[in-house]
């Protein structure tokens, strides 16, 4: 880890010269931020339990004084870096996501609603996608896309860990998505790949990868991504564009170019956003955000309605956010051009699923599944999101909630299903304290001795403090371990 005193020497000369010119009298305060440690944050997962319930549990576990709220995200909290919550079993249970505090701003401002169709165009590793999904509360459709295959895999794993059921994870180019989904989404997040200047304090290695040429290349790529996003947005819809860089080329100048080429779009003002969140009784405070800098682009006053998060002005790294609204009329508009996935007609498979569900799930849980479609992806059975579009010929890693693997005439439940379910959703569950030696053995792959007379033989949901973590199979005295082999490792309680 680079000492903060050494970081200043790593900053590229072209970068510091440019920032000194741009910031003027603010430059010394900006530079001073690089002599302090970066802030760390986590975002609790309301899909697991209510915000107050989880906050109480984490406060009891980590100490209330070690958690403080992130102003612009109700579920976001700064934490004491010494706690290392990523090493705690609660992390594997999907109870929170480790996320840089400033990075929480973009999804907060997109503010998706349950039941909408939402696209995250550049989604890996999944911080913003999972944040969007939490706000959607398992309702509607979220397509989380990542063009790089390895990063798309990590994205899919994080979607699974947080128990998200309404997401399709794709590994496609923006051009391919735009061909398939013209004027389809209510909201789109474009968290553009950028030169990363805002992350120098958090990731000093990024300093060596930076160049003025990379800034110029990122600008051109961002303009193209925004153009594709505009093609996929419904009239009246919203795009949030964000970067983790300070470069005006990638920020105000990119937005100025986009607005000039797409006159049907306008920037949403801070006052309008405040009114919107206040009307929804959502406790979000944007007072620490700075306005954009019109003078760093073409001088158009509208660019002041973009937002900058400066590391010397708030507790977080550098970020830029612009909220763009399509002002075209929504009257008499239909999305019939995007065909929906056809219902599964395999009656034998439906019978196998019903038998599996009857043996494993409570009746209320089964009925909640019945409104959504089953989909067989090879030998893997999925539950599709609501009104799921046809996704054939697209590279899809995760088409909704993975229910399990079809093996002859039975289904073996997936880890994703375990993390999606709550203890009250199943007929069989067992819970351990997070520091119980048995649950620590479970994470390492060992079977557990169990004499609980309330548990029936068969599949059993294993929980930590009442929150699901994986499957076991009870044989009357032992819970055979079905925690995925690729996730097994020692944990501290």
């Amino acid at each position: 880890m680079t000492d903060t005193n050494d970081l200043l020497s790593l900053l590229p000369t072209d970068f510091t010269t440019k920032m000194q010119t741009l910031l003027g009298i603010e430059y010394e305060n900006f530079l001073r931020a690089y002599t302090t440690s970066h802030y760390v944050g986590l975002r609790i997962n309301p899909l697991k339990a209510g915000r107050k319930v989880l906050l109480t549990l984490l406060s009891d576990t980590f100490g209330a004084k070690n958690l403080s709220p992130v102003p612009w995200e109700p579920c976001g909290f700064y934490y004491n870096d010494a706690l290392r919550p990523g090493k705690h079993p609660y992390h594997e249970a999907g109870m929170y996501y480790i996320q840089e505090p400033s990075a929480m701003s973009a999804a907060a401002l997109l503010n998706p609603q349950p039941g909408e169709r939402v696209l995250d165009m550049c989604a890996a590793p999944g911080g913003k996608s999972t944040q969007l999904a939490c706000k959607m509360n398992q309702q509607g459709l979220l397509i989380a896309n990542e063009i790089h295959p390895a990063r798309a895999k990590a994205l899919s794993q994080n979607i699974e860990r947080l128990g998200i059921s309404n997401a399709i994870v794709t590994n496609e180019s923006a051009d391919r998505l735009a061909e398939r989904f013209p004027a389809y989404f209510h909201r789109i997040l474009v968290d553009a790949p950028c030169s990363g200047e805002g992350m120098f304090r958090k990731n000093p290695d990024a300093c060596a990868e930076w160049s003025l040429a990379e800034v110029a290349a990122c600008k051109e790529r961002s303009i193209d991504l925004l153009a594709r996003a505009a093609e996929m947005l419904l009239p009246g819809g919203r795009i949030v564009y964000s970067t983790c860089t300070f470069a005006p080329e990638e920020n105000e100048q990119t937005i100025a170019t986009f607005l000039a080429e797409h006159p049907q779009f306008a920037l949403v003002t801070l006052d309008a956003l405040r009114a919107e969140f206040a009307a929804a009784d959502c406790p979000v405070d944007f007072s620490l955000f700075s306005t954009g800098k019109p003078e760093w682009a073409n001088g158009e006053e509208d660019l002041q309605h973009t937002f900058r998060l400066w590391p010397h002005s708030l507790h977080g790294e550098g970020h830029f956010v612009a909220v763009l609204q399509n002002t075209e009329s929504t009257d008499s508009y239909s999305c019939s051009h995007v065909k929906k996935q056809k219902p599964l007609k395999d009656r034998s498979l439906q019978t196998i699923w019903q038998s599996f569900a009857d043996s494993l799930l409570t009746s209320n849980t089964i009925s909640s599944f019945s409104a959504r479609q089953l989909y067989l992806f090879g030998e893997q059975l999925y539950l599709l999101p609501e009104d799921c579009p046809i996704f054939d010929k697209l590279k899809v890693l995760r088409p909704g909630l993975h229910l399990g693997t079809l093996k002859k005439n039975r289904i073996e439940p997936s880890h994703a299903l375990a993390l999606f379910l709550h203890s009250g959703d199943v007929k069989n569950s067992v819970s351990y304290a997070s520091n119980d030696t048995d649950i620590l053995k479970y994470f390492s792959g060992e079977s557990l001795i169990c004499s609980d007379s309330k548990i029936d033989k068969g599949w059993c949901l294993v929980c930590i403090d009442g929150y699901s973590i994986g499957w076991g199979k009870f044989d009357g005295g032992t819970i055979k371990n079905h925690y995925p082999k690729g996730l097994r490792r020692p944990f501290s309680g």
Side-chain angles (χ1 to χ4, degrees), residues 117 183-186 230 232-238 326 333-335:
R117 295 185 296 273
Y184 180 71
F185 296 100
H186 296 93
M232 290 185 278
L233 193 71
L234 277 166
R238 176 174 294 182
N326 184 329
Y333 192 82
S334 163
C335 285

Side-chain angles (χ1 to χ4, degrees), residues 227-245:
R228 301 291 81 74
E231 294 172 14
M232 290 185 278
L233 193 71
L234 277 166
R238 176 174 294 182
I239 295 172
V240 163
Y241 171 81
S242 66
T243 72
C244 57
T245 195

Side-chain angles (χ1 to χ4, degrees), residues 227-295:
R228 301 291 81 74
E231 294 172 14
M232 290 185 278
L233 193 71
L234 277 166
R238 176 174 294 182
I239 295 172
V240 163
Y241 171 81
S242 66
T243 72
C244 57
T245 195
F246 304 117
E249 297 93 327
E250 300 172 66
N251 296 333
E252 287 92 347
Q253 291 177 28
T254 291
I255 297 301
T257 300
F258 175 79
L259 290 173
E261 295 176 352
H262 299 82
Q264 73 273 33
F265 279 85
L267 286 162
V268 182
T269 68
L270 183 57
D271 286 344
L273 289 167
R274 283 174 173 156
E276 178 181 308
F277 282 91
D281 194 27
C282 184
V284 177
D285 181 4
F286 304 118
S287 61
L288 295 175
F289 291 8
S290 300
T291 57
K293 301 287 187 179
E295 64 273 22

Side-chain angles (χ1 to χ4, degrees), residues 106-113 116 132 135 187 238 276-277 282:
L109 286 167
L110 188 62
N111 195 28
Q113 301 300 303
E116 292 183 329
L132 296 172
K135 294 179 183 299
R187 302 184 195 236
R238 176 174 294 182
E276 178 181 308
F277 282 91
C282 184

